[in-house]
Amino acid sequence: MPDINVDEESAIYKPLKFLPVLYVLATITLLWVVYMFCHVIPRLQLGVSSALVQQPVRLHAQIECGIFNYITLMLLLCYMLCTLTHPGEIPSDDPKWDYKSTPNPDIKLKEKKKTGDRRHCKWCGK
């Protein structure tokens, strides 16, 4: 696969990185609309005269509506936080993260390659 020149083609690929986010938001919105308008709102019996309203069904629909909207709000809040939170980076001042060709024997590694070498980031070289 050929390398992509980031400077020249970044303007082309920048909007495309939002497609998965928009897909998930569209899916959540579609599920919310279907559940609310096809299940909850008919059970609320809004256009029915008060003499014909089934109160247990209406109460159950109100409880479902409250719980469902609370869970949906929490889902959207968590999704917003996970998409807007920076994933972090490798520290540059910590000697444990200092990558050299000859590893420091004093540092105990939790993970090694099959060859015994240290693992490193292939993008930033740390």
Side-chain angles (χ1 to χ4, degrees), residues 2-118:
D3 290 337
I4 296 173
N5 189 353
V6 178
D7 296 334
E8 293 175 4
E9 299 188 18
S10 66
I12 296 171
Y13 293 107
K14 200 163 207 147
L16 293 178
K17 70 180 179 180
F18 293 108
L19 282 179
V21 175
L22 294 176
Y23 178 76
V24 170
L25 288 175
T27 303
I28 292 170
T29 303
L30 177 69
L31 291 172
W32 183 86
V33 166
V34 167
Y35 186 77
M36 288 300 293
F37 288 101
C38 295
H39 180 72
V40 174
I41 291 179
R43 292 187 61 194
L44 287 174
Q45 306 168 31
L46 298 175
V48 179
S49 65
S50 60
L52 298 175
V53 171
Q54 299 172 349
Q55 289 300 328
V57 174
R58 178 179 271 182
L59 177 65
H60 197 262
Q62 289 171 342
I63 292 170
E64 283 181 9
C65 181
I67 292 172
F68 179 72
N69 283 314
Y70 176 75
I71 290 173
T72 304
L73 181 68
M74 291 292 114
L75 172 70
L76 290 173
L77 179 68
C78 289
Y79 187 65
M80 181 189 72
L81 288 174
C82 80
T83 55
L84 297 178
T85 301
H86 190 274
E89 55 190 29
I90 297 174
S92 58
D93 299 338
D94 193 358
K96 291 181 182 177
W97 289 95
D98 189 25
Y99 184 75
K100 298 176 186 172
S101 58
T102 56
N104 186 352
D106 298 335
I107 298 176
K108 301 219 184 319
L109 300 177
K110 292 183 180 179
E111 222 177 275
K112 296 179 185 178
K113 293 183 180 181
K114 289 181 181 179
T115 61
D117 294 338
R118 292 180 64 176

